[in-house]
Amino acid sequence: MSDKDIGTMGIIEMRGVDKWYGQFHVLKNINLDVKSKEKIVICGPSGSGKSTLIRCINRLEEHQKGQIVVDGVELTNDLKHIEQIRREVGMVFQHFNLFPHMTVLENLSLAPIWVRKMPKAEAEERAMQMLNRVQIAEQAKKYPGQLSGGQQQRVAIARSLCMNPKIMLFDEPTSALDPEMIKEVLDVMIELAREGMTMLCVTHEMGFAKMVADRVIFMDKGEIIEQNDPHNFFDNPQSDRTKLFLSQILGH
Amino acid sequence: MAVPGSASEVMVGPPASQVGFLGWMRRNLFSNIWNTLLTVACLYLLVMLVPPAFDWLILKAVWSEAPPETCRAAEGACWAFIREKHRVILFGRYPFDEHWRPLLGICILLTMVMVSCFRRFWRPWIALIWVGGLFGFFALMWGGDIAVNYRTVAVLAGIAVLGVSFSRRAIASNLRSLFLGIAALLLILGIGGGSVLRGLDSLLGFVGAGPIFAGLDGVLFSIPLGLSYVPTSLWGGLPLTLLLSIVGIVVAFPVAILLALGRRSNMPLIRTVCIAYIELIRGVPLISLLFVASFLLPLFLPRGVEINDLARAQVAIILFSAAYLAEVIRGGLQAIPRGQFEAADALGLGYWQKMGKIVLPQAITIVIPPIVNTFIGLFKDTSLVSIVSLTDLLLATKDIAIADVNWRSFYAEGYIFVALIYFVFCFFMSKYSQYLETQFETGRRRRR
C-alpha cells in the first residue's frame, strides 16, 4: 500500500489514554491517530496491552483517563455514543464468537435487521453477498459448529462486514487457527485491505504486516514503544525491546 | 501379511459370550461378584413384591360398581370406591350437576398447553390462544353474567396496546417504552380497578377520588351466559390444580427471567432489589407464603379492598416459583462465554436485543432439565393450597371422598388414584423436557 491511498482525515484519535485493571497499569499514556483507510498492525509480547488498546476503541474495555474520538464521536459513558460507534466499527475476535444457536445466514443478518432496521430480505441478500466475498456462500444454511476454524473466522469477518463498518478491528484473528487455515483468513483480510478498509490488526503474522500495513506499532508493558512503516520497522528497528521482540518471533 | 486362506482373512466375530441376550446379561448383570449379588437381591425383591401387588391391584380387586360391603369382603383393592367417588375427587365441591363445566375447562387448559408444546406454534399469536382460552375457562367455571365494565375494557385495551408495542416494525423503538407505559397503566387500572384506587383513597384520604374511581366498577352492560354462578370457593379438584400450576408456570417464567437478568445487572439498585427478593422468598417455605397471602394480607389491606382467595394463592405460588426459577436461569446465564456478550456488543446490539436474541436462547437451552424440575416441583406444590382451604386435587380426595364414612377404609385406593393423576402430568413434563432437549441438542451437537 502506498501513502497516497490513505485519506487525510483522522478517523480515530486517542489522546493520553490510560487504563488500569485494578492496580495493574495496562495502557500508559497512549496517543494514536489513525487516518481513514489506514492499515495498522499492532504487535508486541503477550500482556503488552495491544488487545486492550483496540478493545477500547469500541468500548469493550473502558478507558479511565484521556480521550478517544472515533469518527467524530467521543467515547464517554453515554450509551447512545457507544452504540453509534459500535455500528461503525466491526470487530473480529480470536475465538470467532459466532452465535452457535443460529445458522451462518442468521449470524450475518441479525445485526443489520435489528440494529440497522434493514428489511429481512435485504439483510439476507447482503449476507449472501458478503459470504460470496469471503468465498463461503455454500455454507449459509449450516451452523457454526459444522464449519472448520478457518471457515468460522471468515464467517465472522463477513458478519462484521454486513454492518458496512468504516473501521475493522482484528484481535489476533489467526491465533486460534490450525496452520493450514491461516492463509484462507489472511487472504480475506488482504483483499479487504486492498478495497480500502480502515484496519487495526493485532497479529503476529509478520508476512501480513509487511504486505499490507501502512504502519506497524510495537507495544510493550502498556506503552507504544515504536511505530514505523513496515520496511523501516523490520529492517531498522530503533529500540532494543523491538529488536529483541523481532529476533524472538523471526529468529527461527 | 495376510496370506489367502489364512485365519486373518476370515471374518472373526466377537465371542458368543459377548453378544446377544446372554452377552448383555453377562456385561450388565453379572460382570463381577458385587454386581451378581445385587442382581440376585433385586430379583428376590421383585419376586417377593410383584405377585402380591399384582394380586391386590388387579386380580383380586373389585372392579365393578359395588357397595362398600362387597369391597370389605374382597381381598383386593376396592376400585368401586373410585367409580363411586371419581367425580368429587376430580371436581371437588363444584355443584354436582354442573360437572361438565370443569370437565370442559380441563379440556380447554390441556388443549392450550398441548398446542404450546409444539415448537412451530411458538409465534406471537399463541398469546391470543392463551388469552382466549383462559377467558373461556373462567367464563365456564364462574358462569353467571359477564359484567362488562370500564375495567374489563381497560384490561382488553391494555392487552391490545401491549400486543402492538411488541410488534417489530409497527413502531419505532423509542415509542415502544411509551406504549408499554400506557399498557401498564391500563392493566393496573383494569385489574386493580376501583378497589386499588379506593384503597389508596382511604389510606391517603384525598376525598373525592374514591367516588370517581368507583365509577370504574360501574357495569356498562352484561352478557348473560345462561350458566349458574359458581364462586371460586366452590372450585376444586383437578381444574384448580391445573389452573394454579399452568398459570403459575406461564407467569413465573418471564418473571424469573427478569429477576435473573436483574441479579446480573450493572445497576446496583436493580441488582440489590433482585437479590433481596430472591433470597427472601427462597428463605421461607411456600406454606408460610400462602399463609401470609391468605390470612395476614387481608389485615393490612385498607377497607373496601378484597382480593379473591384463589388469586392470592396463585400470586403466592408465582412469587415463590419465580425466585427458584430465577436462580436456575442465572445458572444458565453464567454458562454463556463472555465472547458471546462481546460479539453482540461489538455488533451494536442493545441490551434487550443482546439478551433476547443471543444470550437467553442459549442460556435457557442449557438449563432445560432444572427448569422442568422446578415446574414439576411447582405442580406438586400446588397441593399446599389446601392449608388456605382451597380444595385442590389432594384435599378433594382426602376431605370429600375419603371423608365419606361408608368408604373410609379405602383411603389407599383414593391416594393411589390421585398419585396416578399427579404421575401422569409429571411424567408428561419430564418426557416433554427430553423432547425439548433433543430439539435443541441438534444445534449443540453440531458445535462438537
Side-chain angles (χ1 to χ4, degrees), chain A residues 55 58 60 83 86 89 91 93 97-102 110-111 113-115 118 143 145-147 159 163, chain B residues 168-169 173 338-340 342-351 353 357-358 361-362 443 446-448:
Chain A
R55 286 159 62 89
N58 64 352
L60 289 185
E83 283 176 7
R86 283 175 177 169
V89 179
M91 184 159 203
F93 299 87
N97 296 354
L98 294 174
F99 306 130
H101 60 304
M102 296 177 173
L110 178 88
I113 290 175
W114 291 93
V115 180
M118 199 185 269
Y143 284 84
Q146 293 169 295
L147 307 181
R159 178 174 71 176
M163 286 294 281
Chain B
R168 178 142 53 105
R169 294 188 196 295
S173 57
R338 219 177 78 186
Q340 294 288 308
E342 288 178 350
D345 283 338
L347 285 170
L349 294 175
Y351 177 81
Q353 291 170 338
K357 299 276 156 194
I358 310 299
Q362 297 184 62
R446 290 188 194 112
R447 241 185 283 167
R448 280 172 295 177

Side-chain angles (χ1 to χ4, degrees), chain B residues 194-208:
Chain B
S195 60
V196 164
L197 294 154
R198 229 176 306 139
L200 271 180
D201 187 41
S202 73
L203 274 181
L204 304 172
F206 53 101
V207 190

Side-chain angles (χ1 to χ4, degrees), chain A residues 133-136 139 147-155 157 174 177-191:
Chain A
R133 193 163 156 189
V134 299
Q135 297 172 11
I136 207 166
Q139 315 282 6
L147 307 181
S148 72
Q151 289 172 323
Q152 288 193 47
Q153 193 60 297
R154 284 187 284 153
V155 170
I157 295 172
T174 54
L177 296 175
D178 293 336
E180 75 272 20
M181 293 170 182
I182 291 177
K183 188 177 176 295
E184 63 186 64
V185 172
L186 288 181
D187 284 347
V188 168
M189 290 170 64
I190 291 165
E191 187 59 33

